[in-house]
Every structure is written in structure tokens, then in C-alpha cells.
Amino acid sequence: MVNFTEWLQDTNAVRCILVEAVSNSSGSNITRYLSTKDYSNGSQIYDPVVNADSVQLIERMSIDGQPSMSFGDIEIANVTGEYDSWLFDIWVNKAIKVLIGDVRWLYADFVTIFNGIIDDIDTRSINTINIKIRDKLQQLNTPVTEAKLGGTTINKNELIPLTFGECFNISPLLSNPSTLEFQVHNGSIEDIIEVRDNGVPVTATKNLSNGKFTLVNQPFGQVTCSVQGDKQTIFNNTVTKVIQRIVTNFGGVSKFTTSDLDVTQLNNFDAADPIPIGIYINSRENTWSICTQIASGAGAQLVMSRLGKLQLLKIQIVPDVNSFVIDERDIIQGSLSIVSKLPIMAAFKVNYDKNWTVQQGLQTGIPKEHKDMYELEYLNVTVEDSTVKTNYALNSEPVAIDTLMLRESDATTEANRLLNIYKQPRFIVSFTGTSRLVELTLGQQVKIKYPRFGMSVTKDAQVIGLYINWSNLTVKVEVIL
């Protein structure tokens, strides 16, 4: 077996990039085998028409938690027009895999550097064809559900709602007016905790296997309920488990399979942050947006690895004596610069325990503290560093951050994570690294030592951006420190 790390720095290596791209031509899926150099895997010959300089892949985490997709273009020589017909094939959302290795290697020794999907194909000049690639997060750009109630009732065209985790005071769908049947989820659920009529608890018959309940008496006002939602074999309500459930079971034909998940990384994340959440979906929503909203409840974001597997990462700088060390020998001279300085912030407010149906001025005979609770959309916590606030003359009230968290303790932890990042000077630093840095991964904790900008003393940092040129094995790295 070859040592890939050593090979990356081998000046005698004869590097070759392989591209395996699927398209649909005349109704049949065909895999196109392309490369930057002559190569064959047994009887399978790779066509050496790929411009090596075009194989530049981008991976990036977002500072503000908004999703960011990896993307790039692969340019194919088309001087004679041999591939003109490809423009009329179907490439959208087809699979593509990119590998790198040595022309002297067996195919099994090649290393996958990208596993994703094709956005489309186009041409930028008369001599080239360009395959535009995206990571698999693009597959989640579909509605979570389009299942409508149907039947003949007034709500026949309404979407059947979905409930994940635990949700307080949702407004269920009236699925059968004649029997006073209501629906909270399209499938089995864990429990209907309580049903209310204008805030007053009322009696209902539960149908948990179908996500429904039936009122015993005609309601006087607005019907709401608190629910523990979606349940397969067991009830899962943590950020990681809910996201896995949604991406593999909802979203139509483009949903993920288990092979699209980095199960080990997700399990480790869940063990470290077993944060319970709740979300109620009763309108047309994008799967990607919903999962991003859920992830943000743990301060995390969705990322696809180079192997095309879903991960959850968060911005955090964790001192670790075992962190990968980067020094000036790894950085191309003159390439290091400060991209931006993060704003100093002395306080954070985090909203949690969402009230899904805000009810103002209830006139029923429930306790006043209950009425007050139903009038609030969220509970919240605020953390503050008074010293930073004084030193930087920061007096404004922090803008609340909405989350799907249920517990005050989790909201406090998230507020403190943000405060620890922003209460001191933080910088986004960019530099071009040598081939030794090609194997860095998004979210990786590193240490940087460099004779500028205070880095002459080793600084802890986190990798948040990688722009890799696989033809010359250089990589533009962005870190937060």
C-alpha cells in the first residue's frame, strides 16, 4: 500500500487525476471516464482530456452559521468538437467522483478527493467543455414534504404537518371536522403531551401510531397541543439524530442514504452535544434550510466531506496539544494575510423553548403565569462579560438568536461559546500552503507559528476554508485564530 502523505511531497511522482462523471444520454445513464494523463484500470481506459489546472475544489465553513457549499469546475479539452453532443445530455444532479494518484499505481491505491454531484455542464469557449460540480448538500434543496391531507374537507389542500423532537403549543391540522380529529405528524409519534382549548387542558383520544388525536368535546376556541413527535423504533430528539432522520427519510427522491452520512463523526458530535430540540413543519419548507436551522441550535453547520458524507461542524477554537502544527516552512513566502477581524461583542442572548402558537390576551380561567407564557414566543438567556463591555464601551442590548433548543442549560452553553469567540480579538488569516497541508480538513484544530501578527508565539486556530489546486498540490488555507 502506498503512503499518500509521503507521495504528496515526492518530487518524482507522476500525478494523475481521474474523473468519473455520470450523465444521461438518450435515456441511459453513462459513466464518462476522464483523466489528466493516460491511464487505464484494466480494460477501462480513461480519456486524458481534463485540464489539470481546472481541478480546484473549494471547501468552506461559515462564520455566521449560514450554509456554504463546496464547488468547482472541471474543464475538458474540446478543440475538435468531439464532445459537443455532451451539452445535450442530462448532467444535472448526476454523480461525480474525482480521484488522485500516480500513473504507476493500481486503481485501488488512488485517493478520492471529491465525491459529489454535477450542477450542470456548459462551455466557456469554443475549445472547452466545463463540468460544474457541487457537493451533495445540493440534493437537500427540495421540499421536506409535499404530502397533502386530501379528501373532501376544507383542509384537503393543506400539507400534513411534521413534528420532530418536542414542540410546545403547536396548532395541529384539523384533519376531520366531523369527528374532531386533528393531525400533528405524518406517521408515528412518541406522545401527545397535552391538548388545549384556548389554553385550557381538554380531554382527547390519542392515535399515536398515526400522529393524530380526537377531541371528546367541541372546542370553544383555538386548539393547540404539546407533542413529542416523529418516532421510528425509538424516539430521538437530539440535533444530530433529528437531522439524520430528516435527510434519510424525507425530501423526496433526492434524500440521502446511510452511505451519505459520516456516521462516526455524527455519533461523536451527538455524544459531545446531545442537545434536544423541537421543530414543527406545517408549510412548504426546504430540507436544507430546515436542517440548517436545526443544526444552528447546537451552533453547528452542515458540511459534506470530500468523500461525500454529511458532517456537523461548529466554529470553536479548542486548545489541543496534539493539534497539527503549521509553521513558516509550510507557508508560501509572502502569501499570508489577515482577511478580516471579527467584531468584538460583550454579550449574547439566545432564545430557546419556542412557543409555536403565540396567544395574546387569553380570557379563559387559567393561571396568569400560564397566560403570560402563551404570550411569549421564546424564553431566553443572556450572558455578558462586563469587563469587555466597559473596555470597548459597548452598551447596546444584544440581538436575540433564535434556536430550537428546549433547555436553558443548552442555550446558556451556546451563548457562552459565542461569547468566548467574540469577546477577544479574533482574525481570519489566509495563506497558501505547501503540499503537506493538502490533507487538512474543514473544522480541524491546528496550531500556527509565524513571525508576524502576534503568531511568533504559537496560536491555536481552526481551519474554516480550503481552496485546493490539485494540479500543483498547493492549498489556500483560511483559519480563525
Side-chain angles (χ1 to χ4, degrees):
M1 179 178 292
V2 299
N3 186 314
F4 184 68
T5 301
E6 291 181 0
W7 175 81
L8 287 172
Q9 301 172 66
D10 182 359
T11 56
N12 295 316
V14 185
R15 297 185 178 89
C16 178
I17 296 170
L18 307 180
V19 177
E20 299 170 355
V22 177
S23 68
N24 186 286
S25 180
S26 301
S28 299
N29 282 344
I30 300 172
T31 300
R32 313 288 187 179
Y33 295 91
L34 314 169
S35 62
T36 56
K37 289 184 171 68
D38 289 316
Y39 185 79
S40 62
N41 175 25
S43 62
Q44 182 58 61
I45 298 174
Y46 286 76
D47 196 358
V49 293
V50 174
N51 175 2
D53 289 333
S54 72
V55 187
Q56 300 184 34
L57 303 180
I58 300 172
E59 303 170 79
R60 183 164 176 79
M61 292 175 67
S62 173
I63 293 297
D64 61 8
Q66 294 302 308
S68 179
M69 289 185 177
S70 304
F71 62 93
D73 281 9
I74 294 177
E75 187 175 87
I76 299 167
N78 187 38
V79 177
T80 64
E82 179 180 358
Y83 303 110
D84 286 356
S85 62
W86 286 12
L87 291 169
F88 304 97
D89 292 343
I90 300 172
W91 298 80
V92 178
N93 290 330
K94 300 300 182 182
I96 185 167
K97 184 161 70 169
V98 183
L99 307 93
I100 191 169
D102 197 293
V103 294
R104 298 163 295 186
W105 289 0
L106 296 174
Y107 177 82
D109 292 326
F110 274 70
V111 174
T112 300
I113 57 175
F114 184 80
N115 188 345
I117 60 174
I118 298 170
D119 183 58
D120 207 347
I121 189 170
D122 63 14
T123 176
R124 294 179 180 174
S125 77
I126 196 170
N127 294 323
T128 62
I129 293 286
N130 295 85
I131 301 176
K132 299 185 292 184
I133 63 178
R134 300 291 184 266
D135 68 33
K136 291 181 182 177
L137 284 178
Q138 184 68 41
Q139 291 180 218
L140 303 182
N141 269 326
T142 58
V144 177
T145 178
E146 295 183 288
K148 295 183 178 180
L149 180 64
T152 59
T153 70
I154 192 173
N155 289 327
K156 63 184 180 182
N157 292 319
E158 297 295 322
L159 290 178
I160 300 173
L162 298 173
T163 305
F164 298 95
E166 183 173 319
C167 293
F168 172 72
N169 210 38
I170 65 174
S171 295
L173 175 67
L174 179 59
S175 51
N176 191 332
S178 64
T179 63
L180 301 180
E181 178 192 77
F182 292 80
Q183 188 161 3
V184 300
H185 185 69
N186 192 8
S188 176
I189 61 173
E190 173 71 5
D191 196 14
I192 305 286
I193 300 171
E194 186 175 75
V195 180
R196 308 177 193 92
D197 178 3
N198 270 357
V200 178
V202 294
T203 303
T205 302
K206 304 175 185 180
N207 180 357
L208 300 182
S209 61
N210 292 297
K212 300 178 180 180
F213 66 86
T214 302
L215 292 181
V216 173
N217 299 306
Q218 184 73 34
F220 292 98
Q222 185 173 19
V223 175
T224 61
C225 59
S226 294
V227 177
Q228 291 177 322
D230 178 75
K231 178 182 180 180
Q232 288 181 294
T233 306
I234 60 174
F235 172 63
N236 287 312
N237 66 345
T238 63
V239 167
T240 310
K241 295 300 184 184
V242 170
I243 288 175
Q244 289 182 77
R245 169 68 172 152
I246 291 175
V247 300
T248 57
N249 289 274
F250 297 87
V253 295
S254 64
K255 59 180 176 287
F256 285 176
T257 65
T258 303
S259 64
D260 295 315
L261 308 179
D262 188 337
V263 176
T264 299
Q265 193 275 339
L266 292 173
N267 287 343
N268 289 339
F269 189 98
D270 194 52
D273 292 292
I275 299 172
I277 56 93
I279 186 167
Y280 182 58
I281 306 167
N282 61 351
S283 60
R284 185 183 174 91
E285 298 280 0
N286 179 281
T287 306
W288 185 27
S289 297
I290 286 293
C291 290
T292 296
Q293 185 181 356
I294 295 170
S296 67
Q301 50 194 282
L302 278 67
V303 173
M304 298 303 295
S305 73
R306 293 175 195 172
L307 297 179
K309 294 183 181 295
L310 180 69
Q311 299 178 333
L312 280 177
L313 303 178
K314 65 167 63 177
I315 300 291
Q316 56 184 355
I317 301 172
V318 182
D320 185 348
V321 295
N322 297 316
S323 291
F324 186 91
V325 178
I326 300 171
D327 60 31
E328 56 185 311
R329 294 170 296 180
D330 301 307
I331 299 172
I332 304 298
Q333 186 175 8
S335 68
L336 187 142
S337 65
I338 292 180
V339 176
S340 62
K341 180 181 180 181
L342 302 188
I344 297 293
M345 302 184 74
F348 282 89
K349 177 187 286 187
V350 174
N351 287 336
Y352 71 98
D353 199 13
K354 180 172 182 174
N355 173 12
W356 291 86
T357 307
V358 176
Q359 295 170 286
Q360 304 283 349
L362 290 175
Q363 299 300 311
T364 47
I366 58 177
K368 182 180 183 303
E369 58 267 27
H370 291 188
K371 293 180 181 180
D372 293 342
M373 180 174 59
Y374 296 137
E375 289 184 351
L376 295 175
E377 184 177 7
Y378 290 99
L379 301 178
N380 62 71
V381 295
T382 300
V383 298
E384 178 182 291
D385 188 308
S386 57
T387 301
V388 173
K389 184 175 182 179
T390 300
N391 289 345
Y392 286 85
L394 300 171
N395 297 314
S396 60
E397 173 75 7
V399 176
I401 299 170
D402 295 341
T403 77
L404 298 172
M405 296 179 186
L406 302 179
R407 302 184 303 206
E408 180 180 0
S409 60
D410 293 325
T412 301
T413 298
E414 173 60 9
N416 280 314
R417 180 188 72 88
L418 292 168
L419 184 61
N420 287 333
I421 292 174
Y422 286 94
K423 72 179 182 180
Q424 59 185 292
R426 298 282 188 187
F427 300 90
I428 307 299
V429 175
S430 171
F431 55 85
T432 301
T434 63
S435 59
R436 197 175 85 92
L437 305 188
V438 165
E439 292 185 278
L440 290 175
T441 58
L442 276 187
Q444 184 174 345
Q445 303 294 321
V446 297
K447 292 181 181 295
I448 297 185
K449 187 174 183 180
Y450 193 79
R452 289 297 305 275
F453 305 122
M455 291 182 286
S456 55
V457 176
T458 303
K459 296 287 187 180
D460 293 301
Q462 183 183 27
V463 177
I464 62 169
L466 294 166
Y467 305 74
I468 304 175
N469 185 326
W470 287 101
S471 66
N472 60 20
L473 294 182
T474 59
V475 52
K476 181 182 176 183
V477 182
E478 285 191 357
V479 299
I480 178 173
L481 54 78

